Amino acid sequence: MRILLYLSSLLLLPVGVGMLVMTIALEDQPLVTASDEVSAASISRARDILRRNDPRRLAPNTTRDVRLAGSDLEALLNFAARRGIRGAASLDLRQGGADVRYTATLPRLLADLGVGRFVNVEASLGASGGSQIDIEQVRIGRIPLPGALFEALLAQYIRHTDLAPEVALLKRTISKVAITPADVTVTYVWQPELLDSARNLALSPADQQRLAAAQRLFVDTLGHAAPGSRKVALADVLGPLLQQASQQPGADRAQAYRDVLLVAALHLSGRNISVLIPDATRWPKPRPVTLTLRERGDLAQHFVISAAIAAQAGAPLAKAIGLDKEIDDAQRGSGFSFVDLAADRAGTRLGQLAARSPERLAAAVAAGLTDAALLPPIDGLPEHMMADEFRRRFGSPEAPAYRQMSDEIDRRIAALALFR
């Protein structure tokens, strides 16, 4: 009996310790509240950074600086936080360091059991001018951890994951990190392996196999839609694509929607999928054809690209990218267009359905899709406005005249049966 009691205590001790740690680590109130807002200005700055650091234009061993404003870096952290366990992050920069706060929201069931459902993490980081970022202190809930201990645990975790080679490559590539109260500057030495590393992180072998199947499906569907015609209505292609994706069971259905929307978006944007998967150069190619929405190729582009972004990354990012594109067009493109914006927002709604309500989308697709089902009437929506005309008529995206037109677009989209 003594032996049994001893063994039982050994088994129950970790459980008791785990419950104690959970009680101390989980809290009733979030340290950071989530915000879904993504500004068009931050999208524009990110685009400029990518243009200046386009890997296709960099020679090996080229040294470059990337400067990120604190607000943009915080937006990036929040985007990353939404990709796993839903959470929110905040960032305060200081001279030579930064304070990061993060809250992960756990299932409501824990609150019903009398246990807090928020994991609050606070970390103080320091940069001494070299390539190393030091973790000075960490607090998880009410549990303080020395920075050195947390770094050791993190190193052990990384060593036993697929991230180890990528982390080692980053350490060799980054030569300096400088932090000020305004921004973070990273100095790096470009290595071509970084691009392959990014591809491997973005797309696993299973992801690549799924996209290969989605590409074959897209090519076949496009081949059967209006044979011999150089123009095809978007609904005649998107409808069968989504119907095929609807055949996937349960949780796989939303992923199948994401895959076909991504493949279609790459085609409509003029990008070859080989930019993501080099082996895709051997995949079947779609026949040259223009997809149209309400008989316009540009609206099909806006719709599908926004749908793919919303399905992959969420509606706030898709909306911000759409608005940034129109503002950029007003400066030096074809002009600001509320018609394009309507296609962006309708596509965003479809992407939301694909990711969040795949069952609803499956039912709607089964009934058949038409161009009129995807995009509401566009009559009366101003377009082709250059910057001066846009400012004169609508001021800015925060002005009442703009808000009124924006609300009208939302009203028209909400009236579509697909989005009710």
Side-chain angles (χ1 to χ4, degrees):
M1 287 297 295
R2 286 198 188 105
I3 292 173
L4 288 174
L5 287 172
Y6 176 71
L7 291 174
S8 298
S9 65
L10 285 180
L11 291 172
L12 291 174
L13 182 61
V15 176
V17 171
M19 293 181 65
L20 177 63
V21 170
M22 179 179 291
T23 302
I24 299 175
L26 298 182
E27 297 183 294
D28 295 327
Q29 298 297 323
L31 183 65
V32 186
T33 54
S35 172
D36 283 339
E37 291 298 319
V38 181
S39 70
S42 65
I43 295 295
S44 180
R45 288 192 294 270
R47 185 176 57 188
D48 290 340
I49 290 172
L50 291 172
R51 283 174 176 168
R52 291 195 302 271
N53 295 273
D54 188 335
R56 294 168 297 182
R57 302 176 183 175
L58 298 179
N61 300 316
T62 301
T63 300
R64 301 296 291 266
D65 289 336
V66 175
R67 180 171 296 171
L68 290 169
S71 57
D72 294 338
L73 194 53
E74 184 177 88
L76 184 62
L77 286 173
N78 274 291
F79 174 70
R82 288 194 291 267
R83 299 296 287 174
I85 298 175
R86 185 166 180 81
S90 68
L91 174 71
D92 290 321
L93 300 181
R94 48 185 164 78
Q95 192 64 40
D99 297 314
V100 181
R101 288 170 292 280
Y102 170 75
T103 294
T105 304
L106 301 180
R108 191 173 296 277
L109 174 64
L110 293 175
D112 296 336
L113 294 174
V115 180
R117 60 187 296 245
F118 299 103
V119 179
N120 294 318
V121 181
E122 299 177 78
S124 294
L125 311 178
S128 56
S131 62
Q132 186 72 27
I133 294 180
D134 300 316
I135 301 175
E136 298 170 348
Q137 187 176 3
V138 175
R139 177 180 289 272
I140 303 175
R142 286 169 285 168
I143 304 175
L145 292 176
L149 174 61
F150 188 83
E151 284 187 341
L153 294 173
L154 185 61
Q156 284 295 325
Y157 170 76
I158 291 174
R159 190 173 294 122
H160 294 89
T161 67
D162 296 336
L163 294 174
E166 279 72 22
V167 171
L169 178 59
L170 278 178
K171 286 183 177 180
R172 295 197 307 270
T173 302
I174 297 174
S175 60
K176 183 179 179 181
V177 178
I179 304 177
T180 71
D183 52 41
V184 175
T185 302
V186 178
T187 303
Y188 69 96
V189 181
W190 172 251
Q191 301 293 338
E193 306 97 280
L194 276 173
L195 193 55
D196 293 333
S197 174
R199 289 192 181 110
N200 291 334
L201 284 175
L203 295 171
S204 68
D207 294 331
Q208 296 184 31
Q209 289 179 3
R210 286 198 328 271
L211 287 173
Q215 173 77 359
R216 289 192 297 271
L217 177 60
F218 179 74
V219 170
D220 291 344
T221 304
L222 204 58
H224 289 103
S229 176
R230 299 300 298 270
K231 287 187 177 182
V232 177
L234 177 63
D236 292 342
V237 174
L238 194 58
L241 281 176
L242 295 176
Q243 281 185 335
Q244 285 292 324
S246 298
Q247 305 306 313
Q248 294 296 322
D252 294 338
R253 185 179 294 161
Q255 186 58 62
Y257 286 148
R258 292 188 186 99
D259 293 339
V260 295
L261 287 172
L262 177 58
V263 167
L266 287 169
H267 173 77
L268 280 161
S269 65
R271 300 280 191 263
N272 194 299
I273 199 170
S274 61
V275 300
L276 297 176
I277 307 170
D279 287 346
T281 54
R282 297 191 291 270
W283 293 0
K285 305 292 190 298
R287 69 183 178 94
V289 64
T290 300
L291 294 177
T292 64
L293 181 57
R294 290 195 175 269
E295 300 183 352
R296 287 177 49 168
D298 61 329
L299 298 186
Q301 288 180 324
H302 281 270
F303 183 95
V304 174
I305 291 171
S306 293
I309 294 171
Q312 296 283 343
L317 185 64
K319 290 179 179 178
I321 290 174
L323 179 57
D324 172 66
K325 171 67 166 60
E326 293 311 311
I327 292 174
D328 186 64
D329 282 346
Q331 298 291 337
R332 51 181 174 267
S334 57
F336 191 103
S337 170
F338 282 106
V339 175
D340 291 350
L341 205 60
D344 289 330
R345 291 190 179 178
T348 297
R349 290 290 299 274
L350 182 77
Q352 284 180 292
L353 269 182
R356 298 181 181 178
S357 305
E359 295 81 10
R360 274 188 58 201
L361 181 56
V365 168
L369 288 181
T370 63
D371 274 13
L374 297 174
L375 183 65
I378 56 176
D379 53 290
L381 299 180
E383 56 181 335
H384 306 310
M385 292 177 291
M386 301 311 291
D388 290 343
E389 182 186 359
F390 174 77
R391 281 192 294 268
R392 177 176 57 80
R393 295 180 61 181
F394 296 98
S396 72
E398 289 75 36
Y402 178 92
R403 289 293 181 189
Q404 184 177 1
M405 188 60 66
S406 175
D407 291 343
E408 171 62 16
I409 290 173
D410 290 340
R411 185 193 64 78
R412 294 186 187 189
I413 293 172
L416 295 176
L418 182 61
F419 304 126
R420 288 177 193 161

